[in-house]
Amino acid sequence: MTVKHLSVDYNKVNERGTFSPGDTLSGKVTVVTSKEIKVQCFLVKAKGKAKVTWCEQGQTHSNKKKYFYFEHIILQDKNKGDGSEIISPGRNVYPFTFVIPKTDMPSSYEGKWGKITYSLRAQLTQSIWLVNKTKAEFPFLTKSEFPFASKSEMIIIGLKEQHHATRISFYGSAKVTMNVTTEKVGVKQGEAVGVSVEVVNDSAHTVTPKFYLCEKQTFAAQSKRVVYTNDTLCGTGDSVPAETSLTMTKVLSIPPQLPPTFFNCCMMKLEYRIKVTLDVPLAKDPEIKLPLVILLGSPKPHQQKPKRSIWFRKLPG
């Protein structure tokens, strides 16, 4: 093939490697050819979009939203068909610049049945049957101060405050009381949160607390919604023998790569909970769930994925 290489690259604007509303997105499109070629159109596009899709009872539910779309024409056939625009043989570099709109948009995210992506695409069209394409996604970070709550919810959210819950379970005439307290509701990526558990075991069985980090993804389309949950076991506490009580504290580490909580997308949201259960023999395990908001952590350099160019021929019909 005449086109030996086609790639699109962008310039970083900060140490995190992310872009936000109002930022200037600039870069270059590089094309290498073995000889002079004529093109009908050569352009680069910038796009931000969200999309959800899932199947339920043989029916597909889907929805999508476009946050922005820009095109920059690099070369275009003025006569609409005879391929009068020329690319010289060898390596050719074409710069581009876009300004991302200053509107509230969610961060990049990929979930079970939906994703939010921001990308650059370059397309070189030589004829109706010969099109070269390449794509590069860039990480996007919302500028919303509270992407994890609506205005009504913000009133009751105290991210630095403790949260407490009690659960009493009966086994015959005996009971087991579990009190759970988290040191705070809001935790940054890569940080840790302490969870205190008091167990008063008046039963005839030994009980053991277990600690989980619960993830809840919600997707909405066409007045329907679907929920995906994932519970990760973070640790096991000390066993509490029959007719005794014990108080213990477990420190749960939040993985740095875990996406932050967000609500500022109309088609999907991401929530977390801390769950503590009591492993009780021959009985349904009692559990307590407390809210957890995962916040954006400290900036870390973004590891840019290697670019890959894709060539294909579009056949007539």
Side-chain angles (χ1 to χ4, degrees):
M1 295 182 66
T2 305
V3 177
K4 298 298 182 182
H5 173 81
L6 178 65
S7 65
V8 57
D9 299 276
Y10 57 83
N11 303 318
K12 294 182 180 181
V13 295
N14 54 45
E15 62 177 333
R16 193 189 290 269
T18 59
F19 292 84
S20 295
D23 284 345
T24 297
L25 174 62
S26 63
K28 63 183 180 181
V29 179
T30 304
V31 58
V32 178
T33 66
S34 60
K35 63 179 182 180
E36 179 180 281
I37 63 171
K38 297 179 179 181
V39 301
Q40 290 184 354
C41 186
F42 187 18
L43 56 82
V44 59
K45 300 179 283 188
K47 182 189 297 186
K49 67 177 183 179
K51 183 178 181 180
V52 298
T53 303
W54 77 90
C55 293
E56 186 178 26
Q57 298 178 346
Q59 184 177 1
T60 299
H61 302 280
S62 65
N63 197 6
K64 60 183 178 180
K65 178 180 176 62
K66 187 182 295 182
Y67 294 108
F68 61 82
Y69 179 84
F70 300 110
E71 277 189 3
H72 170 66
I73 304 297
I74 299 172
L75 294 172
Q76 188 171 31
D77 172 17
K78 296 181 177 63
N79 297 317
K80 299 181 180 179
D82 65 357
S84 60
E85 293 299 329
I86 304 298
I87 294 181
S88 302
R91 185 174 184 266
N92 298 268
V93 178
Y94 304 91
F96 62 84
T97 298
F98 300 107
V99 178
I100 301 174
K102 290 184 179 181
T103 57
D104 181 27
M105 294 177 282
S107 299
S108 302
Y109 174 72
E110 183 168 356
K112 181 70 173 178
W113 292 296
K115 59 183 178 179
I116 303 165
T117 57
Y118 299 85
S119 63
L120 288 164
R121 299 167 186 261
Q123 179 174 313
L124 192 160
T125 303
Q126 294 174 257
S127 67
I128 193 172
W129 52 271
L130 184 56
V131 181
N132 301 287
K133 292 184 177 183
T134 187
K135 172 184 175 183
E137 291 188 4
F138 58 90
F140 187 83
L141 191 62
T142 182
K143 272 193 174 179
S144 173
E145 188 176 3
F146 301 103
F148 48 79
S150 67
K151 292 182 179 178
S152 60
E153 290 169 326
M154 281 172 52
I155 299 173
I156 62 173
I157 285 183
L159 297 179
K160 296 182 180 180
E161 296 179 357
Q162 292 184 342
H163 207 81
H164 176 82
T166 299
R167 175 70 183 267
I168 300 176
S169 300
F170 290 90
Y171 305 100
S173 59
K175 69 177 182 179
V176 175
T177 304
M178 177 169 59
N179 298 303
V180 179
T181 304
T182 56
E183 63 176 338
K184 54 186 174 180
V185 175
V187 184
K188 290 184 178 181
Q189 297 166 307
E191 289 187 344
V193 57
V195 183
S196 178
V197 180
E198 178 191 18
V199 179
V200 180
N201 184 12
D202 293 329
S203 74
H205 303 283
T206 297
V207 297
T208 305
K210 291 183 177 180
F211 301 83
Y212 296 85
L213 177 61
C214 304
E215 176 186 5
K216 180 182 178 182
Q217 303 174 17
T218 304
F219 305 91
Q222 302 165 349
S223 301
K224 301 288 185 179
R225 73 172 198 146
V226 64
V227 174
Y228 170 76
T229 59
N230 180 43
D231 294 355
T232 302
L233 179 63
C234 297
T236 302
D238 298 328
S239 296
V240 183
E243 299 183 353
T244 62
S245 62
L246 185 63
T247 300
M248 66 196 77
T249 298
K250 188 74 174 180
V251 177
L252 307 183
S253 297
I254 305 301
Q257 72 278 8
L258 210 60
T261 304
F262 72 87
F263 280 42
N264 63 335
C265 177
C266 61
M267 292 180 293
M268 63 189 88
K269 62 181 180 180
L270 177 63
E271 304 169 84
Y272 295 95
R273 297 284 189 273
I274 289 176
K275 182 173 74 172
V276 182
T277 67
L278 283 181
D279 188 8
V280 181
L282 305 176
K284 183 179 179 180
D285 295 349
E287 65 179 40
I288 288 177
K289 287 185 179 181
L290 296 180
L292 179 69
V293 175
I294 295 183
L295 307 170
L296 188 68
S298 301
K300 291 184 179 180
H302 173 67
Q303 298 297 321
Q304 187 171 327
K305 295 180 180 179
K307 305 294 189 302
R308 184 178 65 176
S309 296
I310 302 174
W311 292 274
F312 65 90
R313 292 194 176 190
K314 183 178 180 182
L315 300 178

